[in-house]
Every structure is written in C-alpha cells, then in structure tokens.
Amino acid sequence: MPAIISKATGKIILFGEHAVVYGYPAIAVPIDAIQVKVSILPVILENQSIIKIRNINWQEDIPFAELDEYDPIRTSIENVYAHINQKPPHFEMTISSSIPISAGLGSSAALAVAITKCMSQFLGIYLSNDEINALAYKSEEVQHGSPSGIDNSVITLGQPILFRKSKPISQIKIMSSIHIILADTGKRTLTKDVVTFVKQRLEKEPDFIKSILFEIGGLVEEASKALLYGEVKKLGNLMVRNHIFLKKLGVSSIELDQLVESALKNGAFGAKLCGGGKGGYMIAICEPSSCERVSFGLVSDGATHIISTTIKGSKQGN
Ligand code: MEV
C-alpha cells in the first residue's frame, strides 16, 4: 500500500493578532514556502504504532503509546479517532516540517491540520474542511488554552481570510502580489503565555488595553480595502501602525522592534511582529527591487534566519 501523504502550510497574520482573541477581525494568509508534511503507512509486523520525526535539526522515532497525554501529535491523532469512533490498525507516521516552532508562523495548527487530513484518509473517511478545521481547533485548544481559531482556519482553507470569532469566515481578495520578508529574532515564546499576559493586563488595566484592542481591530477594514485595491504602500503604513499598537499592548520585544526599524530604514513599505509576539518572526513587505537590501539589513541587525516569499495577487501578471 502506498503511503498516504498530506501537507499543510504555515501562516502569517497580516493584521489583528491578539485583538482577534477578543472578537475583533483579523487577516491571515497561508505561506506556501513553509510546510509540514505527514505520511502514514500501515505496519504489519510491528505490534505498535510509531511516529517518526524528520526535521532538519531533530530526528526521532517515538512509539505512539509513549507520547505525552498533551503532545500535539497525540491529541491530533486521538481527536480523529474520537470523531469517527474508530481506531486504526498500527501505523508508521512520518512527520517533517520546515515551519519554525513557537515562532508565530502556525507550526502547531499546520501539524494538526496535516495529521487530521492524513489520518482520516488513512482510515478511508471523508472529512469536510469544516470538520478538519473543527478537529484542528480542538488540538489547538490543548496547546494554547483559548485560541481564536484563526491559525487552524487559514491553514485548513489555504486561502487569505478575514476571520472573526464565531462569524462565518470570508476569503480576502488580494489584487497585487505582495513580497514578504520574514525575519527571525531567534527567540522562541509560547503563544499561550503571551495570550495569558494580555489577558492579565486586560484585567489590571481594562480601559487602556480595551482601547488598544479596539484600535487594532479598526485597522482591519482599511487593510482589507488596501489589499483589494493593491495599495501596497498604504498596507505598509497600516502594518507599522499595527506594530505600534502591539508594542503598546506589551507583546513586542527589543529584538522585534529592532528588526521592524531595520526593515523600514532599508526601504520596506511596512513591518510588524507576527503572531503571539515577544519573539518569533517579524514580517516586512517591500518592493521586489528592495527585498535584497531589506534582507541584508535585517541580517546585519540581528535576524538569525530570513524567509523571502510572495503572496500571489489575483491581478494578471502579478
Ligand atoms: C496567534 O497566531 C495569534 C494570536 O492572536 C492568538 C490567537 O488568535 O489564538 C496571538
């Protein structure tokens, strides 16, 4: 039997992280340049299921039964069993990922989506996108406490989305291609911890924090229009404003601020932190002609890794 293979991309949040947890809208796009790949084969001779992790700097074979109760791989697999009320024969699952972990790029949601799709195909069960998304959200809940659901939604749908908690998801139209540079601060933080930090600040300083969340939410409508009309410069300005609000919220860091400054001084239209913050990646948008200069500047200002990619626009020739 050939291996069943599923893939899921990483994601970036262009606008609205953190505020989205409190019911404000946010915009996210999938990033094809970073992916997780999951494959499953049945095992006949082994008497247990094996998980093989094959990342660049981390290779490990773990019997499924030895995975921790809250392990994201285990929860994603068990959520599928519970949903379809069926346990599979023993299997060998191989997971490889180029999505940096705990870096704001959707690694846990991508893992959950890819495992859910692969396991359901292995069991011969059709799951709709809504079902895959709901199961991936359940895994995200175990990892993050009370996630908004934006990460699993954009990764399941594989399209740019306008997301608002408890509302139907709409696809966002992007007119012109957008060139993006992702720069790593080299620091790792758990989204769960940063979301808890914001929650605690909201309890201590409700008026101030509510006003910032409101401002962040307010940028999203303008940003959707800028995406629709291909106004990249305007988009850049809105990203910078979004970063300033995130900084006020307390979820930026010295490293993230330095990288944002570096990108802007080297000609980026805009830049901001991405995802939970306090570390992880910064995103910048720039003209194709200035991408190289922006990338070099980011490396000399402390970025430990750069990913250069493009969000495809719908306008012909882009
Ligand atoms: C994480 O990618 C984005 C946050 O807004 C958390 C969430 O939406 O669940 C920080």
Side-chain angles (χ1 to χ4, degrees):
M1 180 184 175
I4 309 273
I5 298 174
S6 283
K7 290 180 184 172
T9 69
K11 66 92 218 282
I12 55 173
I13 297 188
L14 281 178
F15 292 92
E17 50 270 272
H18 287 290
V20 71
V21 175
Y22 297 91
Y24 290 101
I27 298 172
V29 295
I31 295 293
D32 293 341
I34 44 176
Q35 296 202 345
V36 55
K37 179 176 152 193
V38 175
S39 65
I40 305 181
L41 271 174
V43 288
I44 316 287
L45 298 176
E46 296 283 343
N47 59 0
Q48 60 179 349
S49 292
I50 300 283
I51 309 295
K52 295 182 160 189
I53 296 168
R54 296 287 179 269
N55 290 338
I56 300 167
N57 46 11
W58 172 33
Q59 305 223 336
E60 197 179 3
D61 291 2
I62 322 160
F64 175 73
E66 286 177 24
L67 290 174
D68 182 82
E69 191 188 345
Y70 300 109
D71 184 282
I73 299 170
R74 182 178 198 122
T75 49
S76 297
I77 293 171
E78 288 186 336
N79 285 342
V80 180
Y81 298 168
H83 182 71
I84 60 183
N85 204 8
Q86 184 186 329
K87 273 201 169 198
H90 291 306
F91 59 86
E92 180 187 286
M93 176 182 280
T94 305
I95 300 170
S96 55
S97 178
S98 59
I99 309 176
I101 296 169
S102 301
L105 301 179
S107 62
S108 65
L111 182 70
V113 170
I115 290 180
T116 306
K117 281 194 205 165
C118 203
M119 187 48 84
S120 61
Q121 282 175 39
F122 176 61
L123 295 170
I125 307 293
Y126 169 78
L127 293 181
S128 66
N129 269 352
D130 283 351
E131 287 172 304
I132 293 167
N133 198 14
L135 288 170
Y137 180 77
K138 271 191 173 185
S139 304
E140 286 282 272
E141 269 184 312
V142 176
Q143 299 310 306
H144 300 309
S146 52
S148 63
I150 188 169
D151 290 7
N152 47 281
S153 298
V154 67
I155 292 168
T156 302
L157 296 175
Q159 298 284 342
I161 59 166
L162 176 70
F163 178 91
R164 195 165 188 161
K165 241 169 142 177
S166 318
K167 294 267 177 5
I169 299 164
S170 33
Q171 283 184 15
I172 281 261
K173 201 152 180 168
I174 297 183
M175 180 56 78
S176 307
S177 291
I178 303 171
H179 302 279
I180 300 224
I181 310 281
L182 311 178
D184 191 0
T185 59
K187 279 181 121 189
R188 293 292 173 264
T189 48
L190 294 177
T191 302
K192 187 179 187 172
D193 294 345
V194 192
V195 169
T196 304
F197 164 82
V198 173
K199 187 167 170 250
Q200 285 166 350
R201 268 201 90 179
L202 182 64
E203 280 157 16
K204 277 190 220 140
E205 308 160 79
D207 293 345
F208 177 61
I209 297 297
K210 271 185 197 166
S211 71
I212 295 174
L213 296 172
F214 176 80
E215 296 284 0
I216 293 175
L219 298 174
V220 171
E221 199 183 320
E222 267 189 84
S224 313
K225 284 188 194 150
L227 285 166
L228 180 64
Y229 298 122
E231 298 168 331
V232 193
K233 277 190 188 159
K234 185 167 179 192
L235 208 61
N237 288 336
L238 291 166
M239 279 172 79
V240 174
R241 281 171 62 194
N242 196 157
H243 184 75
I244 293 168
F245 288 128
L246 288 164
K247 196 171 160 179
K248 286 188 183 168
L249 202 58
V251 299
S252 190
S253 68
I254 293 168
E255 294 83 358
L256 281 164
D257 294 343
Q258 266 168 3
L259 294 183
V260 167
E261 229 175 83
S262 165
L264 297 177
K265 112 186 147 198
N266 284 299
F269 290 132
K272 63 181 270 293
L273 69 84
C274 174
K278 291 213 183 210
Y281 275 67
M282 175 230 62
I283 55 171
I285 58 171
C286 38
E287 260 176 332
S289 57
S290 57
C291 282
E292 204 172 289
R293 184 164 152 217
V294 171
S295 300
F296 277 124
L298 285 164
V299 171
S300 63
D301 286 323
T304 57
H305 184 227
I306 298 285
I307 300 168
S308 180
T309 188
T310 303
I311 305 170
K312 287 259 176 288
S314 55
K315 199 166 79 181
Q316 252 194 339
N318 275 296

